[in-house]
Amino acid sequence: MLEYIIKRILSIIPILIVVSLMVFFLIHLTPGDPAAVILGPAATITALENLRAEMGLDMPFHEQLMTWFSNVIRGDLGNSLFMKKTVLEAFMDHLGPTLSLAIMGQMIAILISIPLGIIAANNRGSNIDRAVSIFSTLGISIPNFLLALFLVLIFSVALSLFPVAGYRPLSAGLWPHIRYLTLPAVTLGIIQAALLTRVTRSSMLEVLNNNYIKTAYSKGLSEWAVIIKHAFRNAFIPILTAIGQSFAQLVVGAIVVETVFNIPGIGQLLINAISRRDFQVIQGAILLIATTFIIINLVIDLLYGLLDPRVRLNRK
Amino acid sequence: MENPDTFYDGSKRIKSEIKKENQRLFMRRLLANKSLLIGGIILIIIGLIAILGPSFLSNTPYQIFAEERLSAPSREFIFGTDNMGRDLLSRVIFGARVSLFVGLMASGVTALVGLMVGLYASYYRFLDHILMRICDGLMAFPAILLALAIMAALGANALNVIVALSIVMIPTVARVIRSAALVVQEQTFIEAIKAQGAGSFRVIWVHIAPNVLSHLIIQATYVFAISIIIEASLSFMGVGIPAPDPSWGNIIYEGKIHITRAWWMTLFPGAFILSTVIALNLFGDGLRDFLDPYTIN
């Protein structure tokens, strides 16, 4: 087991190196001089030179690369060019709303998808199954910002049940916090549920074909006892993995949906940084997000091995 | 069962009948495949709207009717007008041209480069390591975020959207092609061809490539669908297709602040995005069943 864990942990190092290289090269994708692009055509030569020095663009290429790597390893992602704080501080300031939204969305997704998936699998080929499959096809096809806007049109504009946009932090009270986050979280929840319903359904179908399910039925257990106790428990591990892996996608969804509702999260940080060409923030945020996802995937893989001994035996 | 072709070999009349029979079977399988059919029909309709639509329009997408700002759908403006008083019907139809063109180009580039990367990675071990590590790195980034970052560096315009989309999606296609090509290479006919002295270029492009083509076509359809979604998302966040050119995403972006007064600016382009993506996904699913009947859905 220990060998498996160490191997798995070591395997992410090359990916992390490639990822940080790519983020480093991002700024060099900019046509022309990044400093001139940031400051615009009216910039003076001294201002340009100062900015170049600040961004390290005056150094030779290999030195820039070395500085970048040594800074990243020490966790120093540089300073925002426009906000008077470090990139890490700016990121942390905006993380709360995004996480709040993602967690609420994930809960809604689980509440919708697991019952739907179980019911669909248990009634395979029926009209219920077909309706569930239409739901997941629709959910997979609709871009999240569009579903968000459709929900706004129905529940905010037509029915005035929820605010059109805005955000209240948890410190302003739990109820306003939830009220403002409901529509964005439901958006994310529905889209995520579309994916997880498919996984739950197919995972349940696989288990329901096993002989021990027939045994459970033939010894006279009730349908629900068989489904919940015998089938779902065994189908749960792949579902859990899918939930974990899709959490990354959910966070990205949250970043996009935030921009619909003007929620001051990572999405807003990124969009503002892009419009101000605050490259340090863009690079830092992208690197932080990618790294977090790589680590989340690693943890899921390790958990999977822990939960299901067959995995680590197979992977040797 | 014997192969009917060899059984009746020599008789041209019967051969042509077999050909007809095969065509009939092909048509029957095609018509039995509902997702392929429905997806295909919707795609053809949307395609026709994009190609022929503009010749039926009385207003250009840039023409401003200053007194008609944000007016609701009416006989004169079927989809209403936008915040600047432009005909929304015209903008949505020209937007279809932009969005579909960007999606088509992106999936074309992605399919071509993905095919090359996948084939060469599967054929040469040393390339495999390098190319797949780059793919791993690219795939570690969430697609929309990577596209967003590339757009931030390159600047917002249609060409850069195509570049960003391709960079984001090539790794997935390359992976699929690589694993399909590895399976093909295990087969004896490749060994036989190599033993006959065929060069690597010939083996890769004449013998392996045609055998992974069905995977490539299916992938290209899904990539097209994802391109439409990502392009719309980028344009909606203001970093995709820049104004004043219309795309479905940036029409919705402009309509966002007017959503309480002008639902039409969201609903109509949104309906086009949704039906295009659904049609592409249906078409892709149908294509998968049609080209590869052995995979169980």
Side-chain angles (χ1 to χ4, degrees):
Chain A
M1 186 65 200
L2 194 68
E3 194 192 347
Y4 170 69
I5 294 176
I6 293 171
K7 251 191 199 163
R8 202 55 200 81
I9 291 176
L10 288 180
S11 72
I12 68 167
I13 293 175
I15 301 182
L16 285 176
I17 293 174
V18 175
V19 162
S20 54
L21 263 180
M22 282 170 180
V23 174
F24 169 75
F25 280 119
L26 209 54
I27 194 165
H28 295 281
L29 274 180
T30 318
D33 178 6
V37 174
I38 292 167
L39 292 175
T44 61
I45 292 174
T46 27
L48 273 176
E49 272 169 3
N50 285 339
L51 184 62
R52 264 187 224 130
E54 195 186 328
M55 294 174 73
L57 291 171
D58 54 347
M59 291 187 286
F61 190 74
H62 64 276
E63 262 178 53
Q64 285 186 41
L65 187 62
M66 294 318 287
T67 331
W68 160 259
F69 261 122
S70 73
N71 284 344
V72 165
I73 288 170
R74 283 184 285 118
D76 177 9
L77 296 171
N79 299 307
S80 160
L81 296 172
F82 292 87
M83 293 173 280
K84 298 229 176 308
K85 41 185 145 180
T86 66
V87 171
L88 202 61
E89 280 167 358
F91 190 82
M92 289 305 166
D93 284 350
H94 286 81
L95 189 62
T98 305
L99 267 188
S100 219
L101 180 55
I103 291 167
M104 249 176 100
Q106 184 75 78
M107 290 196 298
I108 294 171
I110 292 172
L111 284 178
I112 299 175
S113 61
I114 289 184
L116 273 188
I118 292 177
I119 293 169
N122 203 34
N123 298 284
R124 189 183 187 177
S126 70
N127 281 335
I128 302 174
D129 189 20
R130 235 161 279 148
V132 169
S133 126
I134 290 174
F135 162 76
S136 46
T137 306
L138 276 176
I140 286 167
S141 297
I142 192 166
N144 42 27
F145 75 91
L146 196 58
L147 178 61
L149 290 168
F150 284 169
L151 291 179
V152 167
L153 279 178
I154 298 169
F155 293 101
S156 306
V157 177
L159 302 173
S160 342
L161 289 173
F162 292 100
V164 173
Y167 175 75
R168 297 287 175 278
L170 202 53
S171 53
L174 183 65
W175 172 239
H177 183 66
I178 290 178
R179 201 174 112 83
Y180 274 85
L181 279 183
T182 301
L183 281 187
V186 168
T187 307
L188 292 174
I190 290 177
I191 286 175
Q192 207 63 12
L195 192 91
L196 291 180
T197 306
R198 280 195 175 179
V199 177
T200 310
R201 180 181 175 274
S202 59
S203 179
M204 281 295 284
L205 279 178
E206 217 168 276
V207 173
L208 285 174
N209 276 333
N210 280 319
N211 284 333
Y212 63 82
I213 298 294
K214 277 182 207 137
T215 313
Y217 272 118
S218 53
K219 74 180 185 188
L221 285 183
S222 74
E223 194 177 7
W224 279 109
V226 175
I227 288 169
I228 301 301
K229 270 197 173 163
H230 294 256
F232 183 65
R233 270 197 190 173
N234 283 297
F236 190 62
I237 294 177
I239 300 171
L240 192 70
T241 322
I243 291 174
Q245 281 167 346
S246 63
F247 189 70
Q249 203 184 321
L250 190 80
V251 174
V252 179
I255 289 171
V256 178
V257 169
E258 270 169 24
T259 62
V260 177
F261 293 93
N262 298 328
I263 296 170
I266 301 294
Q268 203 181 64
L269 176 75
L270 270 174
I271 296 294
N272 286 342
I274 290 173
S275 64
R276 288 189 294 218
R277 303 203 157 258
D278 195 343
F279 278 110
Q280 311 281 29
V281 173
I282 302 171
Q283 284 182 306
I286 300 278
L287 185 65
L288 277 172
I289 294 167
T291 313
T292 315
F293 289 168
I294 293 169
I295 292 168
I296 290 179
N297 279 332
L298 173 73
V299 172
I300 293 164
D301 255 25
L302 293 179
L303 272 181
Y304 201 102
L306 214 63
L307 288 174
D308 193 345
R310 282 168 296 183
V311 174
R312 35 176 214 270
L313 290 177
N314 286 343
R315 283 188 188 176
K316 264 195 176 164
Chain B
M1 221 179 91
E2 297 124 305
N3 183 352
D5 268 324
T6 51
F7 191 70
Y8 291 110
D9 205 10
S11 164
K12 272 193 179 159
R13 192 179 60 84
I14 297 177
K15 253 193 171 172
S16 80
E17 264 172 31
I18 289 169
K19 206 174 170 192
K20 244 185 232 161
E21 176 68 14
N22 280 343
Q23 276 174 351
R24 217 171 54 81
L25 279 174
F26 179 84
M27 280 312 285
R28 202 201 281 164
R29 265 188 70 207
L30 196 70
L31 292 176
N33 192 329
K34 278 193 197 122
S35 353
L36 190 68
L37 215 61
I38 297 172
I41 290 172
I42 302 174
L43 285 180
I44 290 171
I45 294 173
I46 294 172
L48 284 178
I49 291 175
I51 295 165
L52 303 176
S55 49
F56 295 101
L57 292 170
S58 40
N59 305 317
T60 75
Y62 306 104
Q63 205 173 342
I64 291 172
F65 301 90
E67 310 87 69
E68 299 279 353
R69 281 192 196 122
L70 290 177
S71 55
S74 61
R75 192 166 295 175
E76 193 187 351
F77 301 105
I78 299 170
F79 281 6
T81 60
D82 70 359
N83 51 324
M84 290 172 74
R86 294 172 296 196
D87 182 9
L88 201 63
L89 176 68
S90 165
R91 288 190 71 73
V92 169
I93 289 176
F94 275 90
R97 286 189 158 191
V98 175
S99 296
L100 292 176
F101 175 74
V102 167
L104 206 61
M105 289 301 288
S107 55
V109 172
T110 305
L112 203 69
V113 180
L115 178 69
M116 292 201 295
V117 172
L119 286 178
Y120 281 95
S122 74
Y123 200 80
Y124 296 106
R125 264 248 130 125
F126 71 99
L127 270 181
D128 191 27
H129 284 298
I130 304 167
L131 291 173
M132 286 305 119
R133 285 302 81 73
I134 296 176
C135 286
D136 284 343
L138 282 171
M139 284 168 91
F141 297 98
I144 288 192
L145 278 194
L146 183 57
L148 203 71
I150 296 172
M151 290 307 292
L154 292 176
N157 67 48
L159 179 70
N160 290 345
V161 175
I162 296 170
V163 172
L165 287 173
S166 308
I167 294 176
V168 168
M169 293 179 302
I170 286 168
T172 326
V173 176
R175 277 274 177 90
V176 173
I177 295 301
R178 173 182 170 273
S179 52
L182 282 175
V183 174
V184 175
Q185 281 179 51
E186 288 298 308
Q187 292 174 25
T188 8
F189 77 93
I190 296 291
E191 212 177 306
I193 290 155
K194 278 186 191 164
Q196 285 170 15
S200 57
F201 184 84
R202 195 176 163 78
V203 174
I204 290 174
W205 290 103
V206 180
H207 298 283
I208 300 176
N211 286 300
V212 297
L213 210 60
S214 63
H215 294 271
L216 187 70
I217 295 170
I218 295 164
Q219 283 300 311
T221 319
Y222 290 132
V223 166
F224 196 170
I226 299 166
S227 307
I228 298 279
I229 292 181
I230 299 182
E231 181 270 312
S233 305
L234 290 177
S235 298
F236 174 73
M237 291 190 279
V239 294
I241 308 291
D245 291 334
S247 90
W248 291 332
N250 75 16
I251 297 172
I252 298 176
Y253 172 61
E254 285 165 5
K256 191 182 93 179
I257 32 172
H258 306 287
I259 194 164
T260 48
R261 285 177 297 161
W263 51 267
W264 48 91
M265 282 187 75
T266 303
L267 189 67
F268 294 122
F272 269 89
I273 294 174
L274 189 56
S275 39
T276 309
V277 177
I278 290 177
L280 282 168
N281 281 340
L282 279 177
F283 193 73
D285 289 348
L287 214 55
R288 193 188 53 204
D289 294 342
F290 190 73
L291 294 175
D292 193 2
Y294 302 108
T295 36
I296 299 155
N297 193 3

